[in-house]
Amino acid sequence: MPTIAVDKTALFEALGQDYTTEEFDELCFEFGIELDEDTSTSERPITNGKQESPQLKIEIPANRYDMLCFEGISLMLNIFRGKQSFPKYRTVVPGSDEHVLICHESTSKVRPFVSGAILRNVKFTQARYESFIALQDKLHQNLARQRTLVAIGTHDMDTLKGPFTYEALPPEKIQFAPLNQTKSMNGHEIMKFYESDKHLSRYLHIIRDSPVYPVILDANRTVCSMPPIINSNHSKISPQTRNVFIDITATDKTKAEIVNNVLVAMFSQYTEEPFTVQQVKIKSPHNNQTRIVPDLTPRQTTAEISYINACCGLSLSGTGICSLLERMSYIALPSPRNPDEVDIWIPSTRADVLHQADIMEDVAIAYGFNNLPRTFPSVTSTIAQPLAVNKLSDIVRLEAAMAGWSEVLPLILCSHAENFAYLNRKDDGTTAVRLANPKTAEYQVVRTSLLPGLLKTLRENKHHSVPIKIFEVSDVAFKAPHLERKSRNERHFAAAYLGKSSGFEVVHGLLDRIMLMLKSTFMISEEGLKGKEMGQSAYWIDEVDDATFLPGHAAAVHLRMGGREEVIGRLGILHPTVLERFELKYPVSVLEMNAEVFL
């Protein structure tokens, strides 16, 4: 969860009450946040001869983007305590070309979505200005996923002239002085300049390999920003800035609007007319789409009174639920259409509310978790039971462990070579699921066999005494173009024996034990011998020619079940070339079979 540091004195002043550390900790708990640290009780750093003022470090739930700043925390706690009602935001419709942002088709190649807003006549102090910058950083780190999904740019509107354009240009055609710099640079030079910057270098990869870079321009073709990297020094904001133009570029339109709503909602309280936001018209001529942003209109929904009461173990009336929801910054009224429902208007800043379960949680918070009756929920409950494939896996896992084998859990991803070439197998292109953009050569495909993981485990543990007996019960994946997700999982069981002798008979014995516990008869082909009947399932092994194994030392496992015969796996002694590729000096015998056929 993100941790937000706020000035203790300023927060208590905004709340209109002084708290002891214990009292404020209790208030945070009641609201569903957590006080992590009160620095007034510890030694604080001294900067420029002045000791840092006491800070409260508060952990905020990851879904509460509206509380990632001082303004959001103080507003929500005041509403929760009944000291303030949720503000009614007012938006001013764009009235001229100055409030227009034109999105060009070229941006679809790199960051296709854009949003924006204007804060008019805003009154910053140094603390408010620092909080404004800090909120942008917190949104970049959390919801924006390190600027990969969303990037925010803020500009002094008085230094720019609308209408604005959002374009994607070749790097050499972008020329401006980056923030806090005086030298003008082109796109390539900017990327090279910030390679050694410990803060901005982490974002360069987002657009570095793109043939075009996104850029925001004003009517005079003055560069405002090159998202998601850096703003222009020309439009740099300061505590003296009165009019702020906000640009938001994104690869995810929904998250762009969430970021826009949160940012302007929190800081519109400092405008000359509090909670007033100047909207921006977004025009996209290439697809004939136009929209006005930000939209701060509350979302309307309903919640069932019976559902809320059943989950919380309460018997609240519709009016009582509405009163509690108002403490959590909703607008709520009993529904005139259905006596078992309440009509709810969700604030534009609460993008985390997706279902009536979220509303029920807020009712419980407002009521007080400690005040809820200690009873079993009255809603219908179910007792979980394992999936059949997991129950089968546990049976196989238990038998292998009791036979003296150690379970391992390698990664499900491996390199293409480990999955195919290292095992003397060929890739026909229709089997393995490949990663589109693997970060390393070690993780290129989803394994189609459990053997690479077992053999890599043996390689990393070959300094231990032999024999080493390991097994795994887990999933492999195969391409399946006919299915919705174009792939399918299959539960396999595999075992590997490494020792001074091949240990083929040990692996064969493990197979026999597993099949015995799965009530499958071993069919004996020698004359005069007959296996004991154990129902409808029977298995046998036949020699097979497989390049993964030593010639003449491999067998396929056949299963007859329900009148149907199929090959479910193979066992054998690995080929010396396979051992060499996995850096194993002793012979290894392995078994791998499909366990799902027994379901």
Side-chain angles (χ1 to χ4, degrees), residues 201-491:
S201 59
R202 74 185 81 166
Y203 308 123
L204 300 183
H205 71 93
I206 300 173
I207 61 170
R208 185 197 294 275
D209 297 328
S210 173
V212 289
Y213 292 173
V215 63
I216 302 284
L217 305 164
D218 77 347
N220 297 323
R221 305 293 292 175
T222 301
V223 174
C224 304
S225 65
M226 187 177 78
I229 309 302
I230 193 73
N231 291 340
S232 167
N233 195 58
H234 173 83
S235 57
K236 175 182 177 181
I237 68 169
S238 70
Q240 288 71 45
T241 299
R242 292 283 289 163
N243 299 295
V244 180
F245 170 60
I246 301 169
D247 74 68
I248 295 172
T249 59
T251 56
D252 186 310
K253 183 180 177 182
T254 300
K255 287 184 171 58
E257 301 305 346
I258 293 173
V259 167
N260 197 4
N261 291 348
V262 169
L263 191 60
V264 299
M266 293 302 104
F267 286 88
S268 60
Q269 62 181 287
Y270 299 135
T271 57
E272 192 169 63
E273 186 179 341
F275 304 110
T276 300
V277 179
Q278 172 71 63
Q279 292 179 311
V280 172
K281 179 183 286 187
I282 307 294
K283 289 185 177 180
S284 302
H286 59 282
N287 57 18
N288 295 319
Q289 291 186 1
T290 301
R291 70 185 199 279
I292 306 295
V293 293
D295 181 6
L296 299 179
T297 307
R299 292 179 289 130
Q300 188 172 1
T301 187
T302 60
E304 297 172 354
I305 296 172
S306 57
Y307 171 80
I308 293 173
N309 282 328
C311 291
C312 298
L314 302 172
S315 55
L316 298 171
S317 65
T319 304
I321 288 174
C322 293
S323 178
L324 292 173
L325 286 174
E326 287 176 3
R327 295 184 62 195
M328 302 303 294
S329 55
Y330 296 87
I331 299 173
L333 295 170
S335 174
R337 301 174 303 278
N338 187 339
D340 189 43
E341 287 185 349
V342 288
D343 291 333
I344 299 168
W345 288 264
I346 305 168
S348 58
T349 55
R350 292 295 305 275
D352 60 297
V353 180
L354 304 175
H355 185 270
Q356 66 174 350
D358 301 307
I359 296 169
M360 175 273 296
E361 180 187 12
D362 280 343
V363 169
I365 291 172
Y367 187 84
F369 283 133
N370 288 336
N371 299 327
L372 294 176
R374 296 174 180 267
T375 59
F376 284 102
S378 57
V379 293
T380 303
S381 300
T382 58
I383 298 174
Q385 62 179 8
L387 296 173
V389 67
N390 291 334
K391 190 171 183 179
L392 172 65
S393 300
D394 287 341
I395 293 172
V396 175
R397 184 178 288 116
L398 182 62
E399 290 305 321
M402 289 196 300
W405 296 68
S406 300
E407 185 176 14
V408 296
L409 291 170
L411 298 174
I412 197 170
L413 299 179
C414 63
S415 72
H416 183 272
E418 289 168 347
N419 198 69
F420 292 103
Y422 280 25
L423 297 175
N424 293 332
R425 295 174 179 175
K426 293 183 179 180
D427 180 12
D428 59 6
T430 63
T431 307
V433 178
R434 285 176 172 265
L435 272 67
N437 184 28
K439 296 298 182 183
T440 69
E442 289 182 284
Y443 310 123
Q444 296 173 319
V445 299
V446 182
R447 62 187 178 183
T448 59
S449 168
L450 299 182
L451 296 185
L454 293 180
L455 296 179
K456 286 193 290 183
T457 302
L458 291 176
R459 181 185 67 197
E460 299 305 320
N461 291 275
K462 59 187 177 184
H463 58 282
H464 288 290
S465 59
V466 294
I468 300 175
K469 301 189 292 182
I470 59 175
F471 75 94
E472 181 183 7
V473 186
S474 194
D475 283 352
V476 296
F478 300 99
K479 284 183 178 179
H482 62 285
L483 299 178
E484 181 183 2
R485 296 186 180 275
K486 310 301 180 186
S487 65
R488 64 181 178 87
N489 285 11
E490 192 172 275
R491 188 64 53 88

Side-chain angles (χ1 to χ4, degrees), residues 522 525 540-545 554-558 567 569-571:
F522 181 55
S525 58
W540 68 95
I541 60 173
D542 278 340
E543 184 178 343
V544 67
D545 185 17
V557 181
H558 295 258
V567 176
R570 294 190 176 185
L571 75 158

Side-chain angles (χ1 to χ4, degrees), residues 554-570:
V557 181
H558 295 258
L559 178 71
R560 180 188 297 154
M561 181 181 288
R564 183 168 56 93
E565 294 182 11
E566 61 180 308
V567 176
I568 63 168
R570 294 190 176 185

